[in-house]
Amino acid sequence: METIFLVQFMGALYGLLAIVFGAFGAHALKKSFTEEQLKSFETGVKYQMYHALLLIVLGFNFGFNTPLESYIANCFIIGTFLFSFSIYGLTLSASKGRKWRFLGPITPLGGLVLVAGWGMLLYSFIGNLI
């Protein structure tokens, strides 16, 4: 039961924050961001929202009776944080003229964790067919 709550909670939190960050980006950051920074920020928001919705769906459809289901959810929670929030940090710091370069490698690492989550999700579907 704990895992279901965590997955649904994180999905709702990520969804809420995606709306807040999206509005913040569209209004407050438009003046201080370059076009490229704004596009990057929007990419972070989109991926965050996609995975927020996915986490909520998984929270209602998985029983979390197997380790695989927990691994999948954890990949989406951690991967979203690493991917989207590193983009937010990179774009915000760059707009202030102090780009946090240490975040650069974190974005693709987050993307790789998301790919692993999607791969395991695909595997769980195929495994159920066999």
Side-chain angles (χ1 to χ4, degrees):
M1 188 63 166
E2 290 177 15
T3 304
I4 292 171
F5 171 78
L6 175 67
V7 172
Q8 291 172 341
F9 175 84
M10 290 305 296
L13 178 63
Y14 280 166
L16 179 140
L17 291 176
I19 297 297
V20 170
F21 294 161
F24 184 65
H27 300 288
L29 298 177
K30 207 175 222 180
K31 298 171 184 132
S32 62
F33 272 21
T34 66
E35 187 67 32
E36 184 180 324
Q37 290 168 338
L38 198 54
K39 278 183 153 182
S40 291
F41 192 87
E42 289 171 354
T43 297
V45 171
K46 282 191 287 189
Y47 275 66
Q48 182 177 332
M49 182 55 84
Y50 298 153
H51 290 92
L53 295 171
L54 177 63
L55 285 167
I56 292 170
V57 168
L58 293 179
F60 282 104
N61 286 289
F62 275 4
F64 297 99
N65 302 321
T66 67
L68 180 61
E69 291 178 346
S70 294
Y71 295 151
I72 292 167
N74 286 329
C75 279
F76 291 135
I77 291 169
I78 294 165
T80 300
F81 181 79
L82 294 175
F83 183 82
S84 292
F85 286 78
S86 65
I87 289 175
Y88 304 148
L90 284 166
T91 55
L92 286 167
S93 63
S95 74
K96 304 290 184 200
R98 294 173 260 134
K99 189 171 185 179
W100 295 342
R101 297 194 186 281
F102 69 92
L103 291 175
I106 294 175
T107 306
L109 178 62
L112 186 60
V113 174
L114 290 172
V115 169
W118 282 102
M120 286 187 284
L121 183 61
L122 180 62
Y123 175 80
S124 75
F125 295 152
I126 293 169
N128 288 335
L129 294 174
I130 298 173

